[in-house]
């Protein structure tokens, strides 16, 4: 029963010395501690959560709000969302194809230029 708080017990204060604990020397600290405990028991200290706890709870509320918002979609919104995703996929595939065609055309131009150079060299050698 050492760990339980007993309001009748008071901390005996000694004259302040350089080595003693200054918190134990102040009688007002004990009174403030008693007052806080009583207020907490009555439920008067409602907003005593730490800032970290408040931020985490706010994040949970925002995240659950987003999840609920995602669940509130109507069937029409689901269909429109799927169509939009398909359209984005088609556009991406089209862009990839255009890029591949551009690379292929570059390859064909280089190959054609090499043929012209090769045939010009052969014609020069044949004429010499």
């Amino acid at each position: 029963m050492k760990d339980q708080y007993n309001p009748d017990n008071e901390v005996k204060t000694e004259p302040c010395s350089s080595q003693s604990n200054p918190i134990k020397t102040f009688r007002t600290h004990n009174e403030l501690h008693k007052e806080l405990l009583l207020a907490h028991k009555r439920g008067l200290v409602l907003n005593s959560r730490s800032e970290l706890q408040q931020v985490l709870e706010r994040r949970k509320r925002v995240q659950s709000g987003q999840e609920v918002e995602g669940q509130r979609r109507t069937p029409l919104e689901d269909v429109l969302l799927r169509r939009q995703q398909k359209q984005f996929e088609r556009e991406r595939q089209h862009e990839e194809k255009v890029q591949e065609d551009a690379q292929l055309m570059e390859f064909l131009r280089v190959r054609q230029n090499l043929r012209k150079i090769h045939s010009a060299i052969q014609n020069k050698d044949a004429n010499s």
Side-chain angles (χ1 to χ4, degrees):
M1 302 229 9
K2 284 183 177 179
D3 295 341
Q4 290 183 352
Y5 176 74
N6 188 352
D8 295 331
N9 291 342
E10 291 184 14
V11 175
K12 304 286 183 190
T13 59
E14 297 177 1
C16 184
S17 67
S18 62
Q19 296 176 351
S20 68
N21 188 350
I23 293 178
K24 290 182 180 179
T25 59
F26 294 112
R27 184 178 185 116
T28 56
H29 178 267
N30 292 334
E31 292 171 1
L32 178 63
H33 184 67
K34 289 178 187 177
E35 186 178 334
L36 285 172
L37 284 174
L38 289 173
H40 183 69
K41 285 180 183 178
R42 291 183 196 152
L44 298 176
V45 186
L46 296 175
N47 200 9
S48 65
R49 294 181 310 242
S50 68
E51 188 175 341
L52 177 63
Q53 255 182 329
Q54 291 175 359
V55 169
L56 291 174
E57 288 174 3
R58 194 176 314 127
R59 283 185 183 172
K60 282 182 183 178
R61 280 194 307 256
V62 168
Q63 187 178 14
S64 66
Q66 290 173 351
E67 290 173 0
V68 169
E69 182 180 307
Q71 294 172 353
R72 290 184 191 166
R73 282 191 240 140
T74 63
L76 177 63
E77 289 173 331
D78 287 338
V79 170
L80 290 174
L81 183 63
R82 275 188 254 129
R83 282 187 182 179
Q84 185 181 25
Q85 289 172 347
K86 286 180 184 178
Q87 181 66 27
F88 285 143
E89 182 66 24
R90 278 189 234 123
E91 287 176 1
R92 188 183 59 78
Q93 288 175 353
H94 179 69
E95 289 174 2
E96 287 176 359
K97 187 175 180 180
V98 167
Q99 195 174 27
E100 287 175 8
D101 289 346
Q103 288 176 350
L104 183 62
M105 293 301 292
E106 178 77 19
F107 172 75
L108 291 175
R109 275 185 272 141
V110 169
R111 185 173 169 202
Q112 192 174 26
N113 285 342
L114 286 174
R115 281 187 182 167
K116 285 179 186 178
I117 293 171
H118 185 63
S119 65
I121 291 174
Q122 283 181 348
N123 286 341
K124 215 181 215 186
D125 288 341
N127 290 338
S128 313

